[in-house]
Amino acid sequence: MTQLPPFRSIEAFVVAARRRSLTAAADELGLSLPALSRRIGVLEAHIGSPLLVRLPRGVEPTALGAAYAADLAPTVMALHRATDAARAAARGRPDRQTVRISLIPTLAVTWLLPRMAAFHAANPEIAIDLDGSATCVDLAAGHADLAIRLGQGRWRGTDALPLMALDLQPVCSPAWLADHPAGLNEPRDLYRAALLGPGHRPEFWPEWAWAQGLDADALPPVRTFDSLQMLYEAAAQGLGVAIGLDRLVQPWITAGRLVRPIAGKVVSLRGFHLVTPAGAVPRAPVRVVSDWLRAEARRDGNAARLAVS
């Protein structure tokens, strides 16, 4: 039989391919960056070919590496689950099953994390593992059990259920308003404002503008940021007017660091969806977590609006 490479090297490679970052993979595995690189190097030497391409910002799997990672990922996850179950059985306690959710970090921080203590109190046998990444992970390859994705609900190879609608509304800091005596009283005032937006979602400003009867092409250039957290921090520091996604910007509003200067919200054509691999039959813990997420969204009153918008 073919001699297999060390499991630690396989695991290091799978995590690095999923996270697209050696630093993030090292943090997840609790390794130093040199230790992680050595493990991946052992695997590449065993295969006889590079598996990752080092880029100025992060890494990308080679064609061979992407195919290899897709084959390995479900097995690595299954090994972890089987080991956790065996250890729990050896201690005479039921297995605490883990459900992995992929979602953007801002949604994790502002919406999901504040609710998790109550979930764990009601479901002590289920552990939720969050993968906070803007990258859409490959669910079919076993990189996560569930994903919460922002869009219109159409992703190849997946089933998507509406979870939360999004209201769009400009936000800025009180200090920015104080520095601009003319203020923001109506939508067309934005033609003379410094606009801020998410780099991965440039469509939100045009969507809001069109709904308000503005010429979106006549808006000033939008300064973009890599994450919504960075975007709202930039607005809170007085750098300009950001497009606010209601559920995600609410902590800055509640703290008084941002305000909504223009009345009237626009319901976006895009929203958050709960995504699973197409046709998959989820494990019992995954069904429990899915039902809980949808119940929490219904409690917020957003899911029904998304379903009919």
Side-chain angles (χ1 to χ4, degrees):
M1 296 180 65
T2 302
Q3 183 180 4
L4 294 175
F7 175 75
R8 293 188 302 177
S9 293
I10 292 174
E11 182 182 43
F13 163 65
V14 168
V15 175
R18 169 167 54 81
R19 298 300 296 268
R20 298 296 198 272
S21 165
L22 295 181
T23 302
D27 288 343
E28 180 173 326
L29 294 173
L31 298 171
S32 68
L33 195 55
L36 178 88
S37 296
R38 284 195 297 272
R39 291 187 181 185
I40 295 174
V42 167
L43 182 62
E44 291 179 322
H46 186 94
I47 297 300
S49 175
L51 300 173
L52 296 173
V53 178
R54 278 65 172 177
L55 303 173
R57 295 181 61 181
V59 294
E60 284 286 340
T62 64
L64 174 62
Y68 191 34
D71 288 339
L72 289 174
T75 302
V76 171
M77 184 173 287
L79 285 170
H80 278 293
R81 287 174 178 157
T83 302
D84 289 343
R87 293 177 63 186
R91 294 193 299 267
R93 294 202 298 266
D95 177 27
R96 189 166 186 247
Q97 300 190 61
T98 299
V99 175
R100 188 177 184 86
I101 305 174
S102 174
L103 74 171
I104 62 172
T106 309
L107 183 64
V109 170
T110 61
W111 188 79
L112 187 52
L113 283 173
R115 303 162 190 267
M116 282 180 54
F119 174 85
H120 288 315
N123 303 274
E125 75 285 0
I126 299 176
I128 294 178
D129 183 9
L130 301 183
D131 177 13
S133 172
T135 303
C136 294
V137 301
D138 187 348
L139 296 176
H143 294 165
D145 297 295
L146 298 168
I148 302 177
R149 290 185 180 173
L150 178 57
Q152 294 181 293
R154 296 186 293 270
W155 294 281
R156 182 178 299 177
T158 68
D159 294 327
L161 292 173
L163 188 64
M164 287 188 291
L166 284 177
D167 290 330
L168 307 177
Q169 194 171 18
V171 296
C172 65
S173 70
W176 190 92
L177 281 179
D179 290 340
H180 296 77
L184 294 176
N185 303 304
E186 57 181 340
R188 65 180 56 255
D189 291 337
L190 287 171
Y191 284 137
R192 51 181 171 77
L195 301 186
L196 313 176
H200 60 292
R201 285 292 175 182
E203 64 269 21
F204 282 130
W205 265 123
E207 186 177 3
W208 183 86
W210 290 325
Q212 296 289 349
L214 300 180
D215 180 0
D217 293 332
L219 289 175
V222 177
R223 183 178 178 183
T224 60
F225 295 84
D226 288 341
S227 74
L228 291 170
Q229 286 173 293
M230 291 175 61
L231 169 64
Y232 297 140
E233 277 300 316
Q237 296 298 328
L239 298 186
V241 182
I243 187 67
L245 281 63
D246 58 345
R247 289 294 167 185
L248 304 185
V249 76
Q250 188 57 45
W252 285 266
I253 300 292
T254 301
R257 301 183 65 209
L258 293 176
V259 296
R260 299 181 177 101
I262 299 175
K265 297 180 180 180
V266 171
V267 180
S268 176
L269 296 176
R270 298 158 183 84
F272 286 108
H273 293 75
L274 189 61
V275 184
T276 55
V281 179
R283 297 177 292 123
V286 177
R287 291 196 298 270
V288 170
V289 172
S290 297
D291 291 344
W292 169 69
L293 290 171
R294 296 174 68 191
E296 289 296 306
R298 287 194 298 271
R299 192 157 65 89
D300 284 352
N302 269 8
R305 292 192 298 114
L306 179 58
V308 300
S309 60

